[in-house]
Amino acid sequence: MKPFIFNPGEHIDRNLFLSFEHLMALYIFGALVVWLYLYRNHRFMKQTRWILFGTLVISEIGILVWSISTGLWDIRYNLPLHLCTISLLSSSYMLVTSSYRVFEIIYFFGVGGAFQAIITPELFYTFPHFRFLHYFIAHFAIILAILYMIWVCKFMITFKSALKSFVVLNCIAVVAFTVNHVTGANYMFLARKPATPSILDWLGPYPYYIVTLEFIAIALFLFLCLPFYYKKVVYR
């Protein structure tokens, strides 16, 4: 019998959202976040940095190898123009270099994008398929890498950081929109809504939901600044 985990043809027709597998993934994610926070000052956090780096790199190499070996690699899906792929590559660099400049950019769309992807997964493979494991492990690692820089390296965010990230996000969106137009892809969901349920379903038809997303991004970025603003006020 061919192992299910390596069979690209086996997928689910039902929605994964809030299924048992999805809920278990959310539980594991929550447990990892709590663990990282509780042990943020422990001496093995140095090793944790490299574990996160290895997880990010291996997950990206793994999806490329899997896509090519199964004949599923496609310019419309596999270019590094998905927001979470950009966050993954940037997080890997950030962990190695401790770059604050990278951190203050990807904090906003890295946390926001990866968290939204975890909550409303655009995924048609279930456990224990490789795509299921890769999807959640990669998104977990993105958020954990960013939280590592906050809790272990004590990096801070300012409102100026939010402005920088917003500008970078829109520059990436212009590139993605152009590639979508040329190739028929849907990077950053700028060509159409995802096939699975997401917050985009509440934002109106194409292309008006893109404008709404801009305002949501501004509100989200400002919201993500609040924990740092609160910390400055309380400990001033």
Side-chain angles (χ1 to χ4, degrees):
M1 180 180 295
K2 185 180 293 185
F4 174 62
I5 192 170
F6 295 116
N7 189 345
E10 294 186 16
H11 57 86
I12 56 175
D13 295 322
R14 59 183 173 84
N15 179 21
L16 187 66
F17 180 64
L18 294 185
S19 63
F20 174 77
E21 300 91 335
H22 184 208
L23 292 175
M24 287 303 299
L26 293 177
Y27 174 80
I28 293 171
F29 171 67
L32 288 172
V33 170
V34 171
W35 177 87
L36 182 63
Y37 179 78
L38 292 178
Y39 290 94
R40 64 192 183 281
N41 296 319
H42 200 282
R43 60 186 179 183
F44 58 65
M45 277 298 113
K46 184 176 181 180
Q47 288 75 23
T48 301
R49 175 198 291 260
W50 294 109
I51 291 173
L52 287 171
F53 171 74
T55 301
L56 289 166
V57 172
I58 292 172
S59 68
E60 186 61 18
I61 294 174
I63 192 62
L64 286 174
V65 171
W66 180 82
S67 299
I68 294 171
S69 64
T70 55
L72 295 178
W73 193 96
D74 193 309
I75 194 173
R76 296 171 297 172
Y77 308 111
N78 296 104
L79 293 180
L81 288 174
H82 292 293
L83 204 55
C84 287
T85 304
I86 295 170
S87 298
L88 185 150
L89 298 174
S90 300
S91 295
S92 301
Y93 178 81
M94 174 188 68
L95 286 170
V96 173
T97 63
S98 296
S99 172
Y100 175 77
R101 290 185 177 181
V102 173
F103 165 77
E104 68 174 341
I105 298 299
I106 67 167
Y107 165 74
F108 295 96
F109 56 77
V111 170
F115 185 74
Q116 191 270 337
I118 291 171
I119 297 299
T120 57
E122 189 193 20
L123 188 64
F124 295 98
Y125 297 93
T126 189
F127 183 84
H129 198 282
F130 170 77
R131 281 293 289 119
F132 178 94
L133 297 174
H134 164 267
Y135 184 92
F136 284 104
I137 290 173
H139 287 94
F140 289 176
I142 291 170
I143 297 178
L144 291 172
I146 294 171
L147 293 178
Y148 179 95
M149 304 309 290
I150 297 171
W151 291 336
V152 180
C153 298
K154 312 301 181 185
F155 279 9
M156 298 287 289
I157 285 296
T158 65
F159 287 109
K160 187 177 180 180
S161 302
L163 178 60
K164 291 179 183 178
S165 185
F166 186 74
V167 170
V168 171
L169 176 63
N170 279 274
C171 290
I172 296 171
V174 170
V175 175
F177 184 86
T178 303
V179 173
N180 290 344
H181 180 72
V182 173
T183 66
N186 190 27
Y187 293 112
M188 296 178 67
F189 304 118
L190 294 177
R192 55 192 173 275
K193 296 179 182 181
T196 53
S198 72
I199 61 170
L200 300 187
D201 296 331
W202 300 87
L203 305 183
Y206 178 87
Y208 304 108
Y209 72 81
I210 297 176
V211 178
T212 308
L213 276 176
E214 286 284 282
F215 289 103
I216 291 178
I218 293 172
L220 178 62
F221 283 23
L222 293 176
F223 175 77
L224 289 172
C225 284
L226 291 181
F228 299 93
Y229 176 76
Y230 174 78
K231 185 176 181 180
K232 287 182 179 180
V233 171
V234 171
Y235 295 101
R236 180 176 297 173

